[in-house]
Amino acid sequence: MVYLIGIVGFVGGFVIGQMVLYFFLRDVPAEKLLNDPYIKWKYGLLNWAFAVLGAYSMVVTYQEYYP
């Protein structure tokens, strides 16, 4: 069951990361997004960090309430 909770948290964190990236990058032109490797690495890793943080927080919360 903890694996299912981890996957749900990962997907939820990824979706939240996408919403944050949409907010941060809404004024950046599409050409710059496609061609600037610094933006890809910086914001791409930020999104994965949100996904991992979401999975970790869901697993910790699950273990706290359902030992």
Side-chain angles (χ1 to χ4, degrees), residues 20 23 30 40 49 66:
V20 169
F23 177 74
K40 289 180 185 179
Y66 298 103

Side-chain angles (χ1 to χ4, degrees), residues 55-67:
Y56 177 75
S57 64
M58 286 292 286
V59 168
V60 168
T61 303
Y62 176 77
Q63 289 176 344
E64 179 71 27
Y65 291 108
Y66 298 103

Side-chain angles (χ1 to χ4, degrees), residues 19-33:
M19 290 189 296
V20 169
L21 289 182
Y22 177 75
F23 177 74
F24 284 156
L25 299 173
R26 65 179 174 224
D27 295 328
V28 178
E31 177 138 348
K32 187 173 182 182
L33 287 174

Side-chain angles (χ1 to χ4, degrees), residues 1-61:
M1 188 66 177
V2 74
Y3 294 114
L4 179 64
I5 296 297
I7 292 170
V8 168
F10 186 82
V11 171
F14 197 84
V15 169
I16 290 171
Q18 287 292 306
M19 290 189 296
V20 169
L21 289 182
Y22 177 75
F23 177 74
F24 284 156
L25 299 173
R26 65 179 174 224
D27 295 328
V28 178
E31 177 138 348
K32 187 173 182 182
L33 287 174
L34 294 173
N35 295 327
D36 190 358
Y38 176 72
I39 289 178
K40 289 180 185 179
W41 278 101
K42 180 180 177 184
Y43 292 108
L45 290 176
L46 180 66
N47 196 24
W48 285 105
F50 270 102
V52 170
L53 184 65
Y56 177 75
S57 64
M58 286 292 286
V59 168
V60 168
T61 303

